[in-house]
Structure formats: structure tokens, C-alpha cells
Amino acid sequence: MVNDQENQKKRAVTWFKTLRDKICKVCETIEDEHKGPFSEQPPGRFEKTTWQRPDKNDDGGGGEMSIMYGRVFEKIGVNISTVKGTFSEEFRQQIRGATKDGEFWAAGISLVAHPQSPLVPAVHMNTRHIITSKGWFGGGADLTPVYPNNEDTLIFHSSLRDVCDSYGEDYYERFKKWCDQYFYLPHREEARGVGGIFFDDINTGDWEFDFSFIKEVGMAFCDVYPKIVRQHMNLEWTEKQRIHQLERRGRYVEFNLLYDRGTQFGLKTGGNTDAIFMSLPPKVTWK
Amino acid sequence: MVNDQENQKKRAVTWFKTLRDKICKVCETIEDEHKGPFSEQPPGRFEKTTWQRPDKNDDGGGGEMSIMYGRVFEKIGVNISTVKGTFSEEFRQQIRGATKDGEFWAAGISLVAHPQSPLVPAVHMNTRHIITSKGWFGGGADLTPVYPNNEDTLIFHSSLRDVCDSYGEDYYERFKKWCDQYFYLPHREEARGVGGIFFDDINTGDWEFDFSFIKEVGMAFCDVYPKIVRQHMNLEWTEKQRIHQLERRGRYVEFNLLYDRGTQFGLKTGGNTDAIFMSLPPKVTWK
């Protein structure tokens, strides 16, 4: 029976790649379908860049960064990576199960979309598998509309709730709360967006069960976000709405640089700077 | 003889206000003189906002934030503040001479200018007086050109060197090096700009001497930066140069949110968020 950790790693890596391909495909389809503002421009296409993690043994892994600058998606980045190495001594103390020598293996997918239209919500999704002396999954998805509306918020949350409810009675409540607490800007006393789910340290003892949950989170995202985009992408917006969008994006930058653990993890483990900052909005203003 | 600490505090506060007024005046004069791009628009004028530091005893101090959106200065903010209170237990450990109860008093001026023209360097200047169980001065000034040129770099550095040389043989060398080390983005392996000086923990035991140094740093800045601005402000620039400027401003944001101690100090001591983020550029892009 092939169920050893090496095989699990391989399956996780393959899944993150599959999900990346699915997401890129649906987003390019949305670009093709678009009939709203900027539809006189050609539909966007992802461009892929591969990167290697610098490592003295040339074995630190790397990733693939796919970025599209389109007519619906002003900037959307989807990054997959598989890295291994050694945590710095300082960082080691913050990591669950970090061994004495600080060795780790990590693979994952992360996505951030910044639409042209202030009426189409920005979104973030990430799932990951990390192995130190322990192994666990983490991830989440959260929606950041410039102009929140109940319908979008409801279908986004329901979709994630449906997945959570199949895996644990308390999953949704816990992960939604975790998301609200995590994506919060204390200096602004503001939530980053309308939330979603956020989770870490997922290890029930049944790897298949946990991996299945991670896959379903990815698939639910890949289904629900395009619905929300298609709902609004063809609408006209005003200059005032655009100005407000660019200001709100400032909050996104503030969160990512001041508080985001993924950003810190990437910077402290010698991740690829372009891939880490792929999440930053293309245009931003501060008053 | 009036030389007690309360009188010293009062004199420092008065100086920061005087310097603020000088700087605002010279920058408004520059706006008036301007004959280059955007000179069809009216010259900019500073608008002042006062803020109070929230405190349960209504005695935490506050500040005055002056911001101008002009035709030379796309955004320039000059903030003076006088705050007192108690450091959080976590933050206390990082502060020189923090007393057991964490009481502090701090006053200072900080300035960041983001010019319209990619040919006019951005700049930062800050001087401050902090009192815990000890008292000291800190500050610095550094230049961030989009397109560095030797002449600007030279006159900026020389001006600060002249001040330093009058106060300590090793001042310039130490403070220049400190600046280069401080304004560095490890994740980009890049300096933020062309440097200047940065210093902290200035306490020679002679308050008058140290205060005099602080005043001269402010005056040197107020003299040299306008010269650099006037040198380039009337020149035309290209769209390509403007695009490059907006991208370089991203590095400024990255530094301020990821590494700047002033930002951390402000956020962790309940400072005014608008005043803290006054330093952020008005328009920024990330690829």
C-alpha cells in the first residue's frame, strides 16, 4: 500500500497544480466572456514564471507564479510552490513541531485577484500542506468587496459552509471566526473584507480525510468566486467608485505588509519576493 | 536658573513647531515659484489637522498634521506631536531606559515629501526627543531619488556632514552608516534611496549641546532639500519615468510597513493612524 509520507507529499503537490490549472482556466474564460468596460481590449492571458528557492544544495525547491493582467482582472496572481529547507532559529520558535534542526517541507497554492471594477470583489484563497516533525494543512479564502452586498457575501459564505459542514460540526463556526479575527486591521479598527474561512494546524490523524477537505475548499472557491465575478463584471462604474477602490486597496497593502503571516513566512524562509508580493494590488492610493 | 526637564521639554516642543512652520513656508514658496508641469494648477497650500491621542485621563497629548497636495509636491506631510503615556509590556522591553511602569514622553517632527516629478527626489526627515527614565534625541534625513544623480547626492550628504562635523568627529561616519543599514530592504537586497544620516540614543550628558545638534540637523535639511527640488522641478518628464516612479514608490511602502521603527512605534503606542500613514505615497503601483 502506497501511503507513506513521500507519496502524500506528491499527491498534495499534484493537487495544488491541478487546482491552479482549473482556476487559471476559468479566469481566462471569464476574460473571454467579458462584455463590460474595457471589452474593447483583448482578453487577458496568464503568464507563467518559474522560480527556484536559493539554497546552497540547489535543492530548496521553488514555484510557478502565474500572473494575468486582464480586462476583468486588473491583476490576478496564482502561485504554487514546493519548498524545503531550514527555519532560522528565531522563526523556529513560532512554528508548530519545528524540529531541533528546523527542517521543513511546505507546498501550497495561493491566489489573489484584484478586479478592474470596483463592483467586483477582490478575493484571496490559499491552501497549504506543511511538514516539520508534524504534518498539517492550513488555508482559507476571504472576500474583499469595495462595496459589500449581502447576496455576494451570502453565496460566498454558504459555499464554504457547505464544505466545512461535511467535515466537522464545528469547522465552519471556528474557521469563520478565525478568519474574522485574522483579517482584521487593529490600527484602523476595520475588518479587511467580509470574511470567509481561515484555518491552520489541520491534522485529525486521518491524512486522507484532511486532504479531501483541502481539495473541497479549493473546488468550492473555484466554483463560487467566478459566479460572483460574472454577476457584476459587465456593469459600468463611476470615477468616484474607482477612486474609492484604489483607497480601499491601501488597506489590503497595509494588512499584507503589517500583519500577514504568509508574507512573513515567505520573507523569513527566503521565498521568492516577486511571488510573495504578487498579492499586492496593481494600483493603490493613500490620501 | 531654568534648566529643569520641564523647561527642556517645552523648548524642544517649541523648536519642532518652529521648524514645522519654516518647512511649510519654504514648500509653499516653492509651489508659488513653480513654472514646470502642472503650473496651470493653483499652487498647493498646507492643511492642518490636529489630533488627540486617546487616553483614559484625556492627557495623552496629540499632534498637528500638515498635508499639502500641490503641483510640485504631489503629497507632502509634516507632522509634529507631543505624546505621553505608558508603553505596553511587550513594547517596553525594546525601549531604552523604559521604567518598570513604562512611562514615556515623546515629542518630534517628521516629514515625508512625494513630488509629482520623477526627477525630484522624495525625502524623509525626522527629529525627536524621548524621555523615559533616560532622555535622548534621535532622528535623521534621507533622500530617495527615482533617478539618482551625483550632484544631488553630494549636496545632500555634504550639508548633513557639515552639521555632524561640528558636533562629533565620528558623528557623520557613524550616522551615515547607520542610515545605510537602517533604510535597507533585505527582501529586495536594495537600499531605499541614497541615504543620509540616521541616529538614535543621542545623550552626551550635555542637553544644550545635543539639542543644538538636533536644531542644526533640522535647519540643514530645510536649506538643502529646497535647493534640490528647485534644481529639477521645472523639467518635463516622460510617461515611462512616471511609471517607474510609481513602481519605486512601492518600495517606500514596503519599507515603511515592513521595517520602519517609527511606524511600529506609532502603531504600538496608540498614535494617530492618519499621522503615522501620512508618509505613504499618494499613488503607487506594483507589477
Side-chain angles (χ1 to χ4, degrees), chain A residues 52-73:
Chain A
Q52 294 296 312
R53 187 168 168 278
D55 185 275
K56 56 182 184 295
N57 305 315
D58 287 332
D59 193 24
E64 289 177 348
M65 183 170 53
S66 304
I67 295 200
M68 176 166 73
Y69 301 98
R71 51 193 196 175
V72 176
F73 298 102

Side-chain angles (χ1 to χ4, degrees), chain B:
Chain B
M1 188 180 165
V2 192
N3 65 354
D4 64 322
Q5 200 175 60
E6 285 312 307
N7 190 51
Q8 290 172 350
K9 286 181 182 176
K10 199 172 147 189
R11 286 173 59 205
V13 168
T14 303
W15 163 250
F16 295 132
K17 188 168 180 303
T18 302
L19 181 59
R20 189 269 317 271
D21 293 343
K22 275 179 196 296
I23 290 170
C24 290
K25 193 174 167 198
V26 68
C27 291
E28 290 188 349
T29 304
I30 286 172
E31 285 286 321
D32 289 339
E33 292 167 9
H34 185 54
K35 298 195 192 322
F38 298 123
S39 56
E40 72 284 2
Q41 295 177 14
R45 285 295 176 260
F46 279 96
E47 293 207 3
K48 201 184 290 178
T49 316
T50 61
W51 54 271
Q52 292 297 311
R53 187 168 168 278
D55 185 277
K56 56 182 184 298
N57 305 316
D58 286 331
D59 193 23
E64 288 178 348
M65 183 169 54
S66 303
I67 295 200
M68 175 166 72
Y69 301 99
R71 51 193 197 176
V72 176
F73 298 102
E74 188 172 341
K75 177 182 174 185
I76 177 171
V78 192
N79 193 48
I80 55 172
S81 64
T82 305
V83 298
K84 55 184 174 174
T86 311
F87 290 126
S88 71
E89 291 210 19
E90 178 211 352
F91 197 52
R92 218 168 284 179
Q93 297 165 18
Q94 303 168 32
I95 295 288
R96 184 181 161 95
T99 53
K100 217 172 172 182
D101 55 6
E103 279 184 23
F104 72 94
W105 177 94
I109 177 170
S110 69
L111 168 149
V112 172
H114 295 285
Q116 296 276 6
S117 168
L119 308 176
V120 178
V123 81
H124 155 257
M125 187 278 298
N126 159 245
T127 51
R128 56 191 177 270
H129 187 23
I130 300 184
I131 296 171
T132 57
S133 70
K134 302 180 194 298
W136 71 94
F137 292 94
D142 72 297
L143 196 69
T144 309
V146 179
Y147 295 99
N149 81 66
N150 289 337
E151 203 181 325
D152 292 346
T153 304
L154 192 69
I155 69 161
F156 191 75
H157 286 197
S158 305
S159 161
L160 296 168
R161 175 194 277 272
D162 288 346
V163 175
C164 288
D165 285 353
S166 312
Y167 287 85
E169 259 185 29
D170 63 342
Y171 270 28
Y172 183 68
E173 199 184 331
R174 272 171 55 211
F175 300 165
K176 181 183 187 303
K177 200 172 161 190
W178 201 339
C179 185
D180 290 341
Q181 286 169 345
Y182 183 78
F183 293 109
Y184 183 75
L185 290 80
H187 64 283
R188 299 284 189 185
E189 298 181 3
E190 274 175 19
R192 179 167 92 168
V194 298
I197 57 172
F198 184 92
F199 52 89
D200 206 355
D201 304 334
I202 297 281
N203 181 346
T204 60
D206 181 346
W207 190 88
E208 291 297 340
F209 181 84
D210 297 338
F211 181 49
S212 178
F213 172 64
I214 284 296
K215 287 194 290 187
E216 289 201 32
V217 167
M219 286 190 292
F221 169 81
C222 196
D223 178 60
V224 72
Y225 183 61
K227 282 184 191 158
I228 295 172
V229 173
R230 288 183 171 114
Q231 195 65 33
H232 309 290
M233 69 186 192
N234 292 323
L235 301 173
E236 299 286 332
W237 62 84
T238 67
E239 183 58 21
K240 203 176 151 190
Q241 289 171 326
R242 173 69 175 169
I243 289 169
H244 184 53
Q245 178 192 39
L246 299 187
E247 284 175 14
R248 294 303 309 173
R249 284 179 176 173
R251 303 294 208 266
Y252 214 89
V253 175
E254 290 172 21
F255 182 85
N256 281 22
L257 299 184
L258 287 169
Y259 306 115
D260 188 57
R261 295 202 328 203
T263 303
Q264 295 298 324
F265 183 91
L267 293 175
K268 290 193 176 168
T269 54
N272 181 274
T273 301
D274 290 333
I276 297 164
F277 289 135
M278 189 195 70
S279 63
L280 297 177
K283 289 185 188 169
V284 188
T285 62
W286 276 274
K287 259 196 262 191

